[in-house]
Amino acid sequence: ATAGFWAEEENFWLEGPDFFRANMVEDVVMHFPEPTGKLTGPQILAALEKAPRWDAVTFYDRDMEKLGNKVRITYRAEARRNGFASYVARCESVYVKLGSDWLLASHKQEALDR
C-alpha cells in the first residue's frame, strides 16, 4: 500500500481545497518557507483558494517509515508551473490512521537552491 502514500502526496501538490478537506486531519499543521510560514487547518484551505496549483511535481530521494498508526515520508520535490521557474524543496509529511483512512497530519517544506 506504500504507493498509495506517494499518490496521495502528489495530489496534495496538484489538487485543490476539496481534496485537502477530504484527506487531512482537522488540526493539520503545515510549515512553508517564509513569508508563508506555519499554517493550520482553516488557514491552509483559505490559502489554497488564492494560490494557483502546480502543473506537475516529481519526487526524488523518497523515504518512508511506518511508526504504529503513523507513516512519515520524506522526499525532495521539484514542482513546475507553466511560465515559472521550478520550485525545489525538501519535504516531510506525516500521515495518521483514523479508522480505515490515512489522513495528513503534518507537512513541512524547506526550499532548496538548485
Side-chain angles (χ1 to χ4, degrees), residues 45-61:
L45 295 171
L48 273 174
E49 300 289 353
K50 302 181 204 68
R53 305 309 296 143
W54 298 102
D55 294 322
V57 65
T58 307
F59 298 155
Y60 302 93
D61 308 330

Side-chain angles (χ1 to χ4, degrees), residues 95-106:
Y95 289 85
V96 62
K97 191 165 193 178
L98 289 178
S100 60
D101 295 326
W102 286 95
L103 300 176
L104 183 68
S106 71

Side-chain angles (χ1 to χ4, degrees), residues 27-89:
D27 55 354
V28 63
V29 177
M30 295 190 179
H31 291 269
F32 295 98
E34 295 300 335
T36 306
K38 177 182 168 181
L39 299 176
T40 56
Q43 296 172 311
I44 294 164
L45 295 171
L48 273 174
E49 300 289 353
K50 302 181 204 68
R53 305 309 296 143
W54 298 102
D55 294 322
V57 65
T58 307
F59 298 155
Y60 302 93
D61 308 330
R62 300 173 179 212
D63 190 46
M64 181 181 297
E65 300 166 281
K66 196 160 192 275
L67 310 156
N69 70 336
K70 291 193 176 85
V71 166
R72 183 175 84 108
I73 64 174
T74 54
Y75 59 95
R76 192 166 54 83
E78 183 172 341
R80 292 171 298 287
R81 187 183 291 137
N82 286 341
F84 292 87
S86 291
Y87 168 68
V88 180

